[in-house]
Amino acid sequence: MHLKQDIGQATAIFLESKMALKTVLKQIEELDIHYIRFEFSDMYGIARSRVISARHFREKCKGLNLPLLHFAMDPRGKEAEQAPYTESSGYPDGVWFPDLESFRVIPWCPHTAEILIEPTFNHKPLMCFPRYIARKQLEKLTDFGYSLQSTNEYEFYVVDRETKVPLTDDTSVSSTIRNYANPEWIEDLLSYLPYMGVDVEMCDTKKGPGQMQVTYKSEFGIRAADNAHVFKTAVKEIAQRRGYTASFMSKPWTNQADSAGHFCHSLWDSEGQRNLLFNPKNPSGLSDIGQHWMAGILIHAPAISILMAPTVNCLRRYKKFNFTTTNTTWGIDNRTCALRVKVNGEKGTYLENRMGASGGNPYLCMAAVVAAGIDGIQRKLPLPDKVTGSAFDEANVPPGTVNLPANMEEAITAFMSDGVIRDAFGVEFRNAFLALKRHEMKCEAEAEEEGDKEWERNMFFKYL
C-alpha cells in the first residue's frame, strides 16, 4: 500500500483498508462502544491520545486536528530547544487520520476501543513520524520482493505506585514463587493482552528485583510494531489498575539489571510463505541473502544504535558482562553478540538483534533494521566471521570489529556519519529527533552540575 502525497488521497488509502469504515462502525454498535481513543506513538514510543465520543467517530475519521508539538517534547512534556513545530512555527496542528485496520477493543476500559492515527502537515505525510518511516522502509522491502516477520521482546520493571517498592525483592530468575508474587496481576496481564491482539506466549521474572518479561507471537509488516506499541501501553495500564507502575525505562538503577528490547525477526518472500534466511546447504544454515542482510545490520550497527537504544539512559546498556552487546558481532545462539542467530529449520530460523533497549520506539527500531538490512542485500556485503565463545573477549572477535557508541554524543556522530541510515530517515526526522537527543544531553549536563542523581528516573521511569 503506497502513500499518496495529499490529504484526500491519504484519506482514501485508509478508508480502502480491509477493515472499512462501515465495518468499524458496525463493531462500535454491536460491542456497545461509547469511546474511541485516537492514539499514536511519539518520538519516545510513548502512547498519546485523544478520547473521542463514538457518535463523532465517523466525522473524526475525516481528519482530527492535533498539535505537532508532541514531536518536540520529552517524556515529561518539556520542549526541546530548536525543535520543529514549536513557538518559532506557531505551534501548528497536524491533520490526523486513522488506520482502520488497527481498531481494537480495550477489555479493561468499559465501552472503550482504540485506533492508531497518523499525521499529515500541509497536505503531506509528516515525514518525521516514526510509524510512517517504518511503513516506508517496509514498502521498500516489498519492492525488493521481501517481507519482514518480527516481534519485540521486552523486559520491564514493576514497582508499587506509591512506595516504589519492587514487586519482588530478589534476583532468583524464573522462580515459580517469584513469578506469582501477585497472581491477580499475572492473571490480568495474560488474559487481557490476547483481547488486544497481542498473542502472549510466556511470562516470567528476570534478574532485577521486580523485573519481568512477557513474550508474544510475531507478526508480518507494520502490525508487529503496532503490537509492540499496544503491548507496552497495555502493560502500563494494567499495572496501574493493580496499584503498580510498570516501566520500560532501560536502566532505572545503576546497580540492577537493565531492561532489553530485543528485535527478533526473519526475512521472508513477499507472500510470507518462505523463510529466506535459511539454507540447509550452507554450513551455518544461513542463506546468501540472509548473510548479506546480517552484514548490512552489522556494518550500520553504530549508526542505528541511537534508533534502537535512543535515550541517554538506554545507551548505558552497552557494557561488557551485562547480558548485552558492545560490538558489531554475530554468533550462533550467542547472547554476547549484537546478532544472535537461531537456526531452527526453514520455518523457525530467525535473528535476535540484541542492540535494542526496552525504552526504545518499536517503529524506529523496525525502520533502522530494515534500512540497514536492505543496504546489505543491495551491496551484497560479506558477513564477517562468527564469534565462538564470548564476544566480550577481544581474542574471540574478528579483526575490524567496531564497538558500539558508549554515549549520546558518540551515537549522534555515528548516525550523522552514516549516509545510508541518515538518508533513510530523512532531514525532517533528523531535525526533530536530534533536537530531543541534544535536549537530553543538556538535561544530563545540568543534572551533573547540580548533583541531581534522580533526573533520569524523573525523566523516563513513569512514562516509558
Side-chain angles (χ1 to χ4, degrees):
M1 183 166 60
H2 292 275
L3 195 64
K4 307 300 191 294
Q5 298 299 306
D6 62 69
I7 285 183
Q9 290 172 313
T11 306
I13 287 173
F14 289 128
L15 297 183
E16 287 168 2
S17 63
K18 292 180 181 178
M19 184 176 286
L21 179 58
K22 63 180 181 181
T23 304
V24 176
L25 290 171
K26 183 179 179 182
Q27 284 192 307
I28 289 172
E29 181 179 358
E30 291 180 349
L31 299 173
D32 195 24
I33 299 298
H34 298 180
Y35 317 103
I36 299 96
R37 295 197 313 212
F38 277 48
E39 188 171 280
F40 65 95
S41 175
D42 72 3
M43 282 292 188
Y44 286 90
I46 295 170
R48 301 190 183 274
S49 62
R50 276 193 179 169
V51 181
I52 306 298
S53 295
R55 64 182 178 276
H56 297 299
F57 178 77
R58 182 192 291 269
E59 172 193 351
K60 298 306 179 185
C61 283
K62 298 175 183 177
L64 175 71
N65 289 334
L66 276 175
L68 298 179
L69 177 63
H70 293 294
F71 300 105
M73 297 191 309
D74 70 19
R76 301 167 300 180
K78 293 188 177 181
E79 292 178 33
E81 293 179 4
Q82 299 182 338
Y85 318 120
T86 55
E87 182 181 355
S88 61
S89 56
Y91 297 113
D93 277 347
V95 182
W96 300 67
F97 297 93
D99 176 350
L100 293 170
E101 287 188 342
S102 70
F103 183 85
R104 311 185 193 216
V105 176
I106 304 173
W108 59 87
C109 290
H111 308 290
T112 303
E114 71 171 29
I115 199 163
L116 300 181
I117 56 176
E118 289 199 13
T120 61
F121 184 55
N122 290 336
H123 307 289
K124 295 181 180 179
L126 189 71
M127 306 293 279
C128 74
F129 186 54
R131 189 175 189 265
Y132 169 79
I133 295 170
R135 290 199 302 105
K136 294 303 289 183
Q137 288 302 313
L138 290 172
E139 283 181 13
K140 187 174 180 181
L141 193 64
T142 300
D143 290 342
F144 281 98
Y146 308 131
S147 63
L148 187 78
Q149 186 179 44
S150 66
T151 186
N152 298 73
E153 199 173 86
Y154 291 118
E155 297 166 337
F156 56 93
Y157 276 88
V158 182
V159 302
D160 185 277
R161 194 165 61 200
E162 301 299 327
T163 67
K164 312 305 180 189
V165 173
L167 177 62
T168 56
D169 61 2
D170 60 15
T171 60
S172 184
V173 179
S174 299
S175 163
T176 297
I177 293 175
R178 194 167 177 254
N179 287 346
Y180 280 86
N182 186 323
E184 292 80 12
W185 148 247
I186 297 299
E187 171 69 19
D188 283 356
L189 197 62
L190 301 186
S191 61
Y192 282 142
L193 284 169
Y195 280 100
M196 294 290 288
V198 179
D199 188 2
V200 174
E201 288 185 308
M202 74 89 186
C203 168
D204 71 342
T205 55
K206 305 303 285 186
K207 188 175 182 181
Q211 191 181 34
M212 298 183 62
Q213 181 183 57
V214 177
T215 64
Y216 52 91
K217 296 290 286 184
S218 57
E219 182 60 88
F220 280 96
I222 199 65
R223 294 300 167 215
D226 290 346
N227 282 350
H229 165 85
V230 168
F231 169 79
K232 293 176 83 171
T233 307
V235 168
K236 295 181 75 67
E237 286 191 64
I238 296 166
Q240 187 171 264
R241 286 168 51 86
R242 286 289 176 182
Y244 298 116
T245 295
S247 178
F248 291 83
M249 179 181 175
S250 301
K251 189 75 175 174
W253 295 280
T254 56
N255 63 340
Q256 299 294 348
D258 56 62
S259 291
H262 302 146
F263 185 63
C264 300
H265 69 281
S266 50
L267 191 66
W268 294 68
D269 62 18
S270 59
E271 302 301 320
Q273 297 298 311
R274 187 164 61 92
N275 188 337
L276 301 181
L277 293 180
F278 181 66
N279 184 348
K281 295 180 180 179
N282 284 345
S284 66
L286 295 168
S287 68
D288 291 345
I289 289 174
Q291 293 181 52
H292 296 323
W293 175 268
M294 291 169 59
I297 294 171
L298 293 177
I299 201 169
H300 294 296
I304 67 174
S305 64
I306 197 173
L307 302 165
M308 301 194 70
T311 72
V312 293
N313 180 264
C314 291
L315 289 166
R316 301 194 196 288
R317 293 188 62 246
Y318 294 158
K319 288 182 170 60
K320 288 185 177 181
F321 316 114
N322 194 33
F323 275 97
T324 188
T325 184
T326 59
N327 51 30
T328 58
T329 51
W330 75 278
I332 302 293
D333 200 12
N334 191 332
R335 285 185 169 90
T336 66
C337 296
L339 287 180
R340 177 189 179 212
V341 180
K342 297 288 287 183
V343 180
N344 297 319
E346 183 178 351
K347 296 297 183 182
T349 295
Y350 70 94
L351 309 177
E352 180 182 84
N353 188 324
R354 297 179 61 81
M355 293 171 55
S358 61
N361 184 318
Y363 298 104
L364 298 183
C365 174
M366 173 181 282
V369 169
V370 173
I374 287 175
D375 184 58
I377 291 175
Q378 280 187 292
R379 294 198 284 153
K380 297 184 177 180
L381 294 176
L383 184 64
D385 292 339
K386 68 181 178 182
V387 170
T388 302
S390 174
F392 302 142
D393 185 344
E394 292 186 9
N396 297 329
V397 175
T401 298
V402 177
N403 288 330
L404 298 177
N407 55 54
M408 184 59 73
E409 186 174 0
E410 290 182 10
I412 291 175
T413 298
F415 174 72
M416 290 301 292
S417 301
D418 189 316
V420 170
I421 302 302
R422 186 184 66 233
D423 293 348
F425 279 77
V427 65
E428 291 89 347
F429 172 81
R430 297 199 301 270
N431 290 342
F433 182 73
L434 294 183
L436 288 167
K437 300 307 107 182
R438 295 185 177 108
H439 169 74
E440 288 179 33
M441 293 171 66
K442 180 182 177 183
C443 291
E444 183 178 39
E446 291 174 349
E448 288 178 356
E449 184 177 340
E450 297 168 3
D452 180 2
K453 298 185 182 302
E454 294 295 315
W455 83 271
E456 287 185 45
R457 272 195 295 274
N458 291 336
M459 170 86 84
F460 299 118
F461 192 82
K462 182 177 181 179
Y463 289 105
L464 279 191

